[in-house]
Amino acid sequence: MLVRQLFDLQTFTFTYIVAADFGKDAIIIDPVESKVDQYLKLLKELDLTLKYVFDTHVHADHITAAGKLRELTGCVTLLGQETGAACVSQTVSDDEKLIIDGVEFTVLRTPGHTQDSYCLYTPGMVFTGDTLFIRGTGRTDFQAGNPVDQYNSIINKLFTLPEETIVYPGHDYNGCISSTIWEEKRFNPRLAGKTVEEFKNIMDNLNLPNPKLMDVAVPANLKCGLI
Ligand SMILES: [Fe+2]
């Protein structure tokens, strides 16, 4: 299994290129529009054919590269079925399977950060988008976010995955790159030992400023990043 984790310094976004091996088909998770050249170069170097782009949700902090990558490679773009982005090639729903060169990925519906938030699981690793971060979680105060849904998505879905599963988040603001379900169950300060009421209280009082690009990114991403 080949996993490449890429980082956008402007928005602290992780993008993942995943494939069964060199020379096979690939999926890109949460690509950033300004990094398209980097992705294309790496795909070429690793002899990968881009089959899918999966956005874990409609992002508010960066513009997706989904539309551009589809134009340039003919790949299929994916978003959860609750999305408002009519431009997407194909929508996915909870528990749907994607098979790429024999590797099975399971789509997990995990609303809370947004109502169209999804994670992608394959045995050994889960790509958690903005649902679960390392020792944190995605915010729930816009785009129809809901802390109770977020809590249920994490506790009743992500935390039921095998504990050794590697957590690859959509962002990190503290210099971490991966974690495991085992660690987050025990050490995530918003979740470990917390009731849903306690979690909601934390999330309702974060008082975060809106992302700098929000007014640009959301409308652009509803058009698959093609503006
Ligand atoms: Fe987000």
Side-chain angles (χ1 to χ4, degrees):
M1 189 87 157
L2 184 157
V3 181
R4 290 289 178 274
Q5 185 178 32
L6 303 158
F7 189 57
D8 176 45
L9 290 167
Q10 259 74 53
T11 60
F12 301 89
T13 301
F14 285 124
T15 298
Y16 301 90
I17 297 180
V18 187
D21 205 345
F22 301 104
K24 303 284 191 179
D25 288 340
I27 182 168
I28 293 191
I29 301 162
D30 289 333
V32 176
E33 196 258 357
S34 58
K35 300 282 181 182
V36 163
D37 291 347
Q38 183 187 17
Y39 307 146
L40 293 176
K41 183 164 179 280
L42 188 55
L43 288 164
K44 197 168 173 210
E45 287 167 348
L46 303 182
D47 191 23
L48 298 173
T49 304
L50 186 60
K51 188 163 184 189
Y52 293 114
V53 172
F54 181 72
D55 268 314
T56 53
H57 59 293
V58 169
H59 302 279
D61 62 332
H62 68 269
I63 297 174
T64 177
K68 220 178 214 181
L69 286 169
R70 180 173 58 189
E71 278 186 356
L72 293 167
T73 71
C75 68
V76 170
T77 67
L78 304 170
L79 268 168
Q81 63 179 357
E82 292 77 12
T83 186
C87 56
V88 72
S89 311
Q90 206 174 300
T91 58
V92 290
S93 55
D94 190 38
D95 208 31
E96 197 167 323
K97 313 287 183 200
L98 298 171
I99 314 278
I100 306 176
D101 283 315
V103 178
E104 184 178 276
F105 295 84
T106 304
V107 173
L108 303 175
R109 180 165 188 249
T110 53
H113 170 61
T114 63
Q115 284 307 300
D116 66 351
S117 284
Y118 279 74
C119 298
L120 197 61
Y121 172 73
T122 188
M125 65 193 81
V126 62
F127 301 91
T128 56
D130 293 3
T131 299
L132 178 65
F133 293 156
I134 300 168
R135 311 297 192 265
T137 58
R139 62 195 295 173
T140 54
D141 56 337
F142 55 63
Q143 289 181 289
N146 180 312
V148 175
D149 289 348
Q150 175 98 318
Y151 185 87
N152 286 328
S153 292
I154 296 171
I155 299 291
N156 299 323
K157 199 163 260 181
L158 296 181
F159 281 4
T160 65
L161 296 172
E163 291 200 326
E164 65 273 21
T165 303
I166 297 169
V167 172
Y168 283 122
H171 297 281
D172 189 82
Y173 305 94
N174 302 303
C176 299
I177 56 171
S178 65
S179 179
T180 60
I181 294 296
W182 185 90
E183 281 172 65
E184 295 311 313
K185 273 187 187 175
R186 282 158 186 80
F187 306 121
N188 192 307
R190 294 185 186 173
L191 296 155
K194 296 284 192 292
T195 63
V196 66
E197 291 79 19
E198 288 168 330
F199 180 77
K200 183 176 184 311
N201 192 39
I202 293 168
M203 299 308 290
D204 287 346
N205 291 288
L206 291 178
N207 300 317
L208 298 169
N210 280 343
K212 286 188 209 87
L213 286 176
M214 185 168 169
D215 293 340
V216 177
V218 173
N221 289 335
L222 290 171
K223 294 178 182 158
C224 292
L226 297 170
I227 41 174

